[in-house]
C-alpha cells in the first residue's frame, strides 16, 4: 500500500480541523454570564443540597398549620396541637411537662405553659425567613440605587453618598439597634397601652426597617466601584455620545453587568439578617411573646436545656442548619459567577 504524501496529510488535518472547530465554537457562543453561572451552579452538589435544605424550611414555614394539624388529638386535653394554646394540665407542680414526645406532641410540650413545641417550632420559622428575605430585598434595592447614582454621576452626589456610607459603617450597629427598638416601639404606641400581640407586630416591622436601613452600605460601595469602572467602557461612552438618556444607560447598559455581584450580595445578606433577628430576639430586643420565634425559644429554653432538651435543641438545630445552608448557597452562587473559580 502506498504511503500518503505530506500534502494529503495536511489536507486531511485541515478538513478535520475545519469540521471540529465550528462545533467547538458553537458550544461556546451565545451564552450569557447568567447562563454560564446557572450551568455551573447545577453541577455544584453543595449548592443543590443547600437549596434543598432552604426549600425544606420554606415549605415548613408556609405549611406549618398543615404540618402540626397532622399530630393526633391529645388524650388528656382532647384537642389538637396549637402553637398558642396553653395547657397547664400537662405541666407538673415544678413547671416541667408530664408528657414527652408522642403522636399528639411530636417534640413534647413547652415547660410552664404546655404549648406544643413542634407547632411553635414550625410556625417559628416564619419570622426568621420573612425578616431575612424582606430585609435583604429592601437593602439590595437601596444599595443598588445609591451605588448607581454615586458611581455614575460622581462629583457632589458621589461625595455625599460616600460620606453617608462611611458614617453608617462607623456606627456600632448592635448597640444602636438595642436602643432604637424600644424607642420606636414607644413612639409608635403613643400614650395607650398595647397588648402583647400588638407589641410583637410593631417589633416585627421595626426589625425589618432597622435591618435594611443599616444593611445597604456594603452593597452600595460595591456597586459604586463597579459602576465607576463600567462608565468608562466603550459601550457606555457610545450610548452617551448618541444621546441615550441617563436612565436607560443605567438600567439597560450598566445594571445588567452587575447582576452577578448583586445576586451574590443578596444571597449572603439573607443568613446574616436571620442571625441578627435571632440574636435580637435572644437579647430581648426582637420579637416577644406570644409570637413564636426560634431566637425567642432559645432565650427561654437556655436555663432548662439539661432538664428538658427538646425545648432548646430543635430551634438551635433549625436555625443553625438554615443559616449554614444559606451561607454555603451564597458561596456557591459567588463561585458560579466568578470565572476564575474552579469549584
Amino acid at each position: 500500500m502506498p504511503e500518503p504524501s505530506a500534502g494529503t496529510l495536511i489536507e486531511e488535518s485541515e478538513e478535520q480541523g475545519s469540521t471540529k472547530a465550528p462545533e467547538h465554537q458553537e458550544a461556546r457562543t451565545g451564552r450569557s454570564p447568567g447562563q454560564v453561572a446557572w450551568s455551573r451552579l447545577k453541577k455544584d452538589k453543595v449548592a443543590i443540597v443547600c437549596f434543598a435544605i432552604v426549600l425544606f424550611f420554606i415549605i415548613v414555614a408556609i405549611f406549618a398549620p398543615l404540618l402540626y394539624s397532622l399530630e393526633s388529638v391529645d388524650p388528656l386535653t382532647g384537642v389538637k396541637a396549637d402553637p398558642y394554646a396553653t395547657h397547664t394540665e400537662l405541666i407538673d407542680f415544678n413547671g416541667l411537662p408530664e408528657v414527652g414526645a408522642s403522636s399528639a406532641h411530636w417534640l413534647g410540650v413547652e415547660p410552664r405553659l404546655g404549648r406544643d413545641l413542634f407547632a411553635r417550632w414550625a410556625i417559628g420559622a416564619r419570622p426568621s425567613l420573612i425578616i431575612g428575605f424582606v430585609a435583604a430585598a429592601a437593602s439590595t434595592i437601596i444599595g443598588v440605587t445609591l451605588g448607581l447614582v454615586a458611581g455614575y454621576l460622581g462629583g457632589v452626589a458621589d461625595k455625599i453618598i460616600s460620606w453617608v456610607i462611611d458614617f453608617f459603617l462607623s456606627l456600632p450597629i448592635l448597640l444602636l439597634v438595642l436602643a432604637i427598638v424600644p424607642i420606636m416601639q414607644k413612639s409608635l404606641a403613643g400614650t395607650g397601652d398595647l397588648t402583647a400581640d400588638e407589641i410583637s407586630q410593631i417589633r416585627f416591622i421595626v426589625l425589618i426597617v432597622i435591618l435594611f436601613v443599616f444593611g445597604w452600605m456594603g452593597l452600595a460601595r460595591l456597586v459604586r466601584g463597579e459602576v465607576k469602572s463600567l462608565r468608562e467602557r466603550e459601550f457606555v461612552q457610545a450610548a452617551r455620545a448618541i444621546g441615550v438618556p441617563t436612565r436607560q444607560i443605567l438600567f439597560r447598559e450598566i445594571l445588567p453587568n452587575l447582576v452577578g455581584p448583586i445576586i451574590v450580595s443578596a444571597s449572603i445578606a439573607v443568613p446574616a439578617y436571620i442571625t441578627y433577628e435571632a440574636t435580637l430576639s435572644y437579647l430581648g430586643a426582637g420579637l416577644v411573646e406570644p409570637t413564636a420565634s426560634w431566637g425567642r425559644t432559645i432565650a427561654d429554653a437556655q436555663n432548662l436545656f439539661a432538664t428538658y432538651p427538646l425545648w432548646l435543641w430543635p430551634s438551635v438545630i433549625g436555625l443553625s442548619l438554615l443559616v449554614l445552608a444559606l451561607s454555603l448557597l451564597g458561596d456557591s452562587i459567588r463561585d458560579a459567577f466568578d470565572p476564575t473559580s474552579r469549584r
Side-chain angles (χ1 to χ4, degrees):
M1 179 181 291
E3 296 182 358
S5 62
T8 306
L9 292 175
I10 293 174
E11 291 177 359
E12 290 179 355
S13 62
E14 290 178 351
E15 290 178 358
Q16 293 176 356
S18 62
T19 56
K20 292 181 180 179
E23 296 178 0
H24 180 71
Q25 293 175 359
E26 184 178 358
R28 295 284 183 178
T29 57
R31 300 179 70 190
S32 65
Q35 292 174 332
V36 174
W38 174 244
S39 64
R40 298 182 70 186
L41 200 60
K42 289 189 296 184
K43 299 176 182 178
D44 192 339
K45 295 181 180 179
V46 174
I48 294 174
V49 173
C50 292
F51 177 77
I53 294 173
V54 174
L55 183 62
F56 166 77
F57 283 110
I58 292 175
I59 292 174
V60 168
I62 294 174
F63 298 102
L66 176 62
L67 291 176
Y68 60 74
S69 67
L70 298 177
E71 296 179 293
S72 61
V73 176
D74 186 272
L76 183 60
T77 62
V79 296
K80 294 183 74 67
D82 184 87
Y84 303 108
T86 60
H87 297 285
T88 55
E89 61 270 23
L90 301 176
I91 307 300
D92 62 15
F93 65 93
N94 291 321
L96 296 176
E98 293 182 339
V99 296
S102 63
S103 60
H105 307 286
W106 293 347
L107 296 177
V109 296
E110 185 181 26
R112 296 194 295 269
L113 296 177
R115 295 179 295 193
D116 185 81
L117 285 178
F118 175 77
R120 293 189 65 79
W121 178 85
I123 208 74
R126 288 184 175 181
S128 298
L129 290 170
I130 293 174
I131 290 175
F133 282 101
V134 173
S139 63
T140 299
I141 293 173
I142 295 175
V144 170
T145 303
L146 294 179
L148 284 172
V149 172
Y152 187 79
L153 296 181
V156 178
D158 186 19
K159 291 181 180 179
I160 294 175
I161 295 175
S162 298
W163 182 87
V164 173
I165 292 173
D166 293 336
F167 173 76
F168 273 94
L169 289 176
S170 66
L171 298 175
I173 297 178
L174 183 59
L175 295 178
L176 282 176
V177 171
L178 292 175
I180 289 174
V181 168
I183 293 174
M184 293 187 67
Q185 176 184 323
K186 290 182 179 179
S187 62
L188 292 174
T191 58
D193 294 332
L194 298 176
T195 63
D197 289 330
E198 292 173 341
I199 293 175
S200 187
Q201 291 175 2
I202 290 175
R203 289 201 173 193
F204 183 82
I205 298 173
V206 169
L207 279 178
I208 293 177
V209 173
I210 288 176
L211 288 177
F212 78 73
V213 166
F214 287 97
W216 57 270
M217 293 81 68
L219 180 58
R221 176 173 284 181
L222 174 64
V223 171
R224 170 183 172 272
E226 293 291 335
V227 172
K228 277 183 171 292
S229 175
L230 289 172
R231 72 179 183 182
E232 305 300 331
R233 300 283 293 274
E234 292 80 2
F235 64 94
V236 176
Q237 296 293 335
R240 296 171 67 178
I242 63 177
V244 177
T246 302
R247 181 185 300 176
Q248 294 185 14
I249 294 176
L250 289 175
F251 291 100
R252 292 186 180 181
E253 303 295 336
I254 294 179
L255 189 59
N257 292 280
L258 301 175
V259 172
I262 291 172
I263 293 177
V264 171
S265 177
S267 63
I268 296 176
V270 173
Y273 290 143
I274 291 176
T275 305
Y276 261 112
E277 181 275 326
T279 303
L280 292 173
S281 297
Y282 177 82
L283 295 175
L287 302 178
V288 295
E289 292 287 352
T291 300
S293 169
W294 287 346
R296 182 75 260 164
T297 301
I298 294 171
D300 295 337
Q302 61 178 336
N303 295 325
L304 290 176
F305 73 94
T307 305
Y308 198 72
L310 281 176
W311 192 12
L312 175 68
W313 289 114
S315 297
V316 171
I317 294 172
L319 181 63
S320 302
L321 194 59
L322 176 60
V323 172
L324 179 62
L326 285 168
S327 300
L328 292 178
L329 183 60
D331 290 340
S332 297
I333 294 173
R334 180 192 59 200
D335 294 339
F337 277 96
D338 185 5
T340 62
S341 173
R342 296 186 179 274
R343 180 175 175 179

